[in-house]
Amino acid sequence: MLISATTLAADEKSIAITIDDLPLDDNTASIADKERYTLAILESLKRHGVVATAFVNEDKLLVKGEIDRHVALLERWLDAGMQLGNHNFGHLGLWQTALPSYQDAVVRGDTITRW
Ligand SMILES: [Zn+2]
């Protein structure tokens, strides 16, 4: 069913909860840390009845020896009822990147997530 903004009552409000930069890469976290953080975040979202959209940086999935565990983290988000989005390959900024390069990063950014 398609709900447009005009069908919502004037006093109904909603917000979108988004999580940036899966697989939760802060450049220092180990894969075990990422797994622990993921479970904690998902448990918190579930406890509060929140369905969030998490945006994936697929370049950060490609860590030698950790790809399968990173993909498994994405599956945990889906299994928890969350949605995944494409945050582009390389985490390029729209304003600092030439359009063709940005478009390439978007196309390349959901190869695994699309599975
Ligand atoms: Zn980001």
Side-chain angles (χ1 to χ4, degrees):
M1 182 171 114
L2 179 63
I3 300 174
S4 71
T6 57
T7 62
L8 293 174
D11 62 344
E12 289 185 60
K13 295 180 180 174
S14 64
I15 60 171
I17 304 294
T18 64
I19 310 289
D20 208 20
D21 299 336
L22 292 188
L24 303 176
D25 188 348
D26 68 356
N27 297 321
T28 61
S30 69
I31 185 68
D33 287 340
K34 293 175 200 176
E35 290 167 343
R36 192 172 60 252
Y37 301 157
T38 296
L39 292 177
I41 291 170
L42 291 174
E43 175 55 34
S44 181
L45 292 170
K46 181 179 178 182
R47 188 173 350 109
H48 294 286
V50 173
V51 176
T53 300
F55 289 91
V56 179
N57 300 119
E58 288 201 358
D59 55 298
K60 295 179 181 178
L61 301 175
L62 306 180
V63 177
K64 186 176 181 181
E66 298 179 352
I67 294 172
D68 288 346
R69 289 173 78 179
H70 278 129
V71 173
L73 287 176
L74 300 183
E75 290 171 340
R76 285 192 174 268
W77 284 83
L78 295 174
D79 291 345
M82 306 299 156
Q83 301 173 336
L84 297 178
N86 177 355
H87 196 23
N88 83 52
F89 194 94
H91 198 256
L92 301 182
L94 180 60
W95 306 116
Q96 300 82 26
T97 308
L99 183 57
S101 296
Y102 194 84
Q103 290 170 320
D104 288 344
V106 170
V107 169
R108 193 174 174 202
D110 73 351
T111 305
I112 295 168
T113 307
R114 189 175 294 271
W115 289 345

